[in-house]
Amino acid sequence: MREYTRFLFRCARLSFHGDWKYYLWMMALTVIALIGLNAYAKQFVQGLSTTGMTDQVSWGLYIANFTFLVGVAAAAAMMVIPVYIYRNKDLYNLVIYGELLAVVAILMCLMFIMVDMGRPDRGLHLLQRFNFPISILTWDVIALNGYLLLNLHICGYLIYCAYQRRQPTKKFYIPFVFIAIVWAISIHTVTAFLYSGLGGRPFWNSAVIAPRFIASAFAAGPAIIILTLQVIRKATGYPVSDKAIQTLRSIVTVALSINMFLLGSEVFTEFYTDSAHGVSAQYLFFGLHGHNALVPWIWSAIALNTLALVILFSPWRNRLGLLNMACVAMIVGIWIEKGMGLIVPAFIPSPLGEIVEYTPTTNEVLVCLGILAFGMLLYTIFVRITVPVLYGELTIDTVYHTDPELRAQRRSGTPSGDQQ
Amino acid sequence: MQLPQMNDNNASGGCGCSGSDSGHGGCASRPGMTRRSFLRTSAGATGGIAALAASLSPLREMGGEGFSMQEFLQKHYKEMSESDMDTALTRISDQVEKRYEVRPDIRDIKPMDGVEFVYALNLSRCIGCRKCVHACVAENNLSREPEMQYIRVLEMPRGTMDIEQGDHHYDRPTVPDEDHFYMPIQCHQCANPPCVKVCPVEATWAEEDGIVVVDYDWCIGCRYCEAACPYWARRFNFSTPKIPKADLNPNMSYLSNRPRPKGVMEKCHFCLHRTREGRMPACLEVCPTGSRKFGNVLDPNSEVREVLRTKRVFVLKEDVGTLPRFFYYFDERDPLQSVTVEGGAS
């Protein structure tokens, strides 16, 4: 136990150490996170009237980001499955970065829920009267927190073992890895059921929502991982093979294709039947009675996703630059699709047919940016700690060298990484 | 065991805000903490704390509303003993008195035995004057700023029952308009309420007499119920409700019209502080046309029972399976003569 405290202490110290680029990056993130905290403090005092939400559109940017990030968290499974089920060698040393991303994404999800709550001070009421299993929201509480614990355990255990220079004991983490795979699917399914279970919202009340969530998550999530791994490779010199990135690329290609197919199925059903069921879709894609705030959003999402798909199927898809472009396009595209394209339109028109449009306020946007910055800050710290630990530079019986040349001498060549 | 030693010979320059930036002791490092690194660390820590404090500064404006430990520890409505409830009512009275300078008469009024309330609204008679809307606001201490209303009246064109065709914001010097009919919509007090189903903390439930209520001191403000309601009957307090002192209705009950805090849901409760004592809801009392009928459906002699038995009654959005306790009807029947159908009416 004392040993573990010391490990945490050393990790904390290490996270304050780096070159000027690292400081600049961390400073920028800290500043944005604090601006977000400031915006949230204002919201906490004045109430959610500081947001663009109304009784008509009662969920907005916060829940949109929450939904998107649940997908990012679930996407860690897309690295775990190849490694632990198909024994993929290229992703072997990288899977931990996917799991760490899941941890951070879930933490951000929980923060987005916190800021969306009218009475965060009453959060403990969940422990006292938990409407389980009737309310799907209680399922989501279990799913998200369970997934957080699973991934914290897996990452924490593996990193601490590497720190202690011992082989991880399989029975202490392999079962959890497999539970986490199923759990990853469940977090996004349950989140989709939050919406699709509402009979009063025809736009959400569709069986395709859950599969579409999963498909889009397995596209956007690994796309983020592709970009992140390249940043890690560049910033820390950690070996990330191009083959690993190409494996993720093929996962993304399949997932994005399925997502586009499901979107097409949905669009067909909504529009061909001409039923009142499709009013929200009408509003989203073409506008309704002169109200068309979401039209540019959804069409840019479709354009970006199509662009990504074209690149992914083109003969030049192996080029990293183009692949990165496709990743950025699809991350933005899917973010819009889930936020402005899925959460907001379900509220427009209202159940009584009133059209009230939604525009997020600056304060609301700042809170979102603050949470995202804080998430990136945490992820950077996690990576900052993980890389030297896996390299054997920061272990129980060694001191960490501040001089990169001394460190380079000690690098054994390959990081010890994840053990199968 | 030897703790790693600090040094300050790392490459980074002077970074103020990130707290300590000393690395772990290397082979060539000087032992112990130098004065420079100590100063830098403390400057960083101070800067960090100052930045954090500055970003939290809006919290200073919390002021007035105050935080009540008693409210924080208060139990769920259904778990409160009589003395718990007394304590809560005293606390609420004190808070109301402090804010509105009126000592309210606030009670916890329970449902009556053998009563299930239903509402029936005559669409043939309603003229769309919105008197019900404003009577409700006054009776139930609804926020005037921002303005909140439980009842929404739709002006419907002839030839449709599709509420999406309704006009929410009609503004005429006189009503009714001959080419329209009027449809007031408020909470339908469903027998299968989706809002109750989705609430993660059971802050909203259907009472024995069918009224769906909210414990304003238990609601966490997630607004899932607002998303679930097919009748747009629930409202959220996006900021602290404001009511002019003179307009406060001091006749209150715990589950109905007491002033609500910021950040919680509220909704129509069939004026339970009136109706559970044998009076009619405010919206009914004010209606100049007698379009509104309210009563105990379990009482075979009640007016609502008569309406359900004899009128052409329907409910809104029957297809969503919510089983509303709010019925609409048309009462005119063309002077049809009775016609004998050959071979019976089947």
Side-chain angles (χ1 to χ4, degrees), chain B residues 122 306-313 329-332:
Chain B
N122 189 339
E306 181 66 15
V307 169
L308 294 187
R309 194 162 46 226
T310 58
K311 305 293 184 184
R312 282 166 284 172
V313 171
Y329 65 103
F330 293 98
D331 70 352
E332 73 269 47

Side-chain angles (χ1 to χ4, degrees), chain B residues 28-49:
Chain B
S29 67
R30 282 163 288 164
M33 187 184 247
T34 64
R35 207 171 81 171
R36 209 176 122 216
S37 84
F38 173 75
L39 284 176
R40 234 166 44 182
T41 307
S42 25
T46 318
I49 290 166

Side-chain angles (χ1 to χ4, degrees), chain B residues 148-193:
Chain B
M148 188 187 288
Q149 297 165 347
Y150 290 163
I151 306 174
R152 185 50 75 84
V153 186
L154 302 193
E155 187 180 70
M156 302 287 294
R158 288 176 183 279
T160 181
M161 284 304 290
D162 176 11
I163 51 174
E164 302 212 338
Q165 310 285 326
D167 182 358
H168 289 246
H169 306 288
Y170 67 94
D171 186 15
R172 300 178 183 282
T174 56
V175 281
D177 178 69
E178 277 315 301
D179 295 327
H180 292 91
F181 70 96
Y182 296 87
M183 189 171 207
I185 300 174
Q186 63 207 72
C187 176
H188 283 17
Q189 317 289 358
C190 307
N192 183 18

Side-chain angles (χ1 to χ4, degrees), chain A residues 8 67 94 115 119 172 179 185 213 247 325 367 369:
Chain A
L8 291 180
T67 311
L94 303 174
V115 298
R119 300 301 299 238
F172 284 150
I179 294 172
I185 311 275
F213 266 33
T247 309
M325 203 167 108
V367 172
L369 290 177

Side-chain angles (χ1 to χ4, degrees), chain A residues 13 16 23 38 44-45 48-49 55 58-59 116 118-119 122 125 129 131 135 194 201 351-352 354, chain B residues 6 18 20-21 79 152 168-169 198-200 202 216 218-221 223-224 226-227 236 238 262 317:
Chain A
R13 289 231 306 208
F16 284 110
Y23 278 113
N38 180 258
F44 189 80
V45 172
L48 282 149
S49 54
D55 274 319
S58 50
W59 280 344
D116 189 65
R119 300 301 299 238
R122 295 184 184 167
H125 289 184
R129 285 193 80 99
N131 191 9
S135 170
L194 276 184
R201 302 274 171 194
L352 302 187
E354 188 183 8
Chain B
M6 286 206 176
S18 320
S20 161
D21 59 356
E79 289 166 13
R152 185 50 75 84
H168 289 246
H169 306 288
V198 301
C199 179
E202 299 173 10
Y216 311 123
W218 196 260
C219 173
I220 58 171
R223 306 189 296 296
Y224 196 15
E226 192 166 29
F236 181 71
F238 284 91
K262 168 187 80 187
K317 300 197 184 184

Side-chain angles (χ1 to χ4, degrees), chain A residues 144-189:
Chain A
L144 292 178
N145 286 298
Y147 192 64
L148 177 64
L149 291 179
L150 279 171
N151 278 294
L152 271 179
H153 167 74
I154 296 167
C155 299
Y157 181 70
L158 291 178
I159 293 173
Y160 191 54
C161 282
Y163 172 78
Q164 287 191 314
R165 289 185 178 281
R166 62 183 169 91
Q167 286 286 350
T169 316
K170 280 192 174 179
K171 67 176 177 188
F172 284 150
Y173 79 103
I174 292 287
F176 295 105
V177 167
F178 284 94
I179 294 172
I181 292 175
V182 183
W183 209 287
I185 311 275
S186 91
I187 59 168
H188 221 32
T189 309

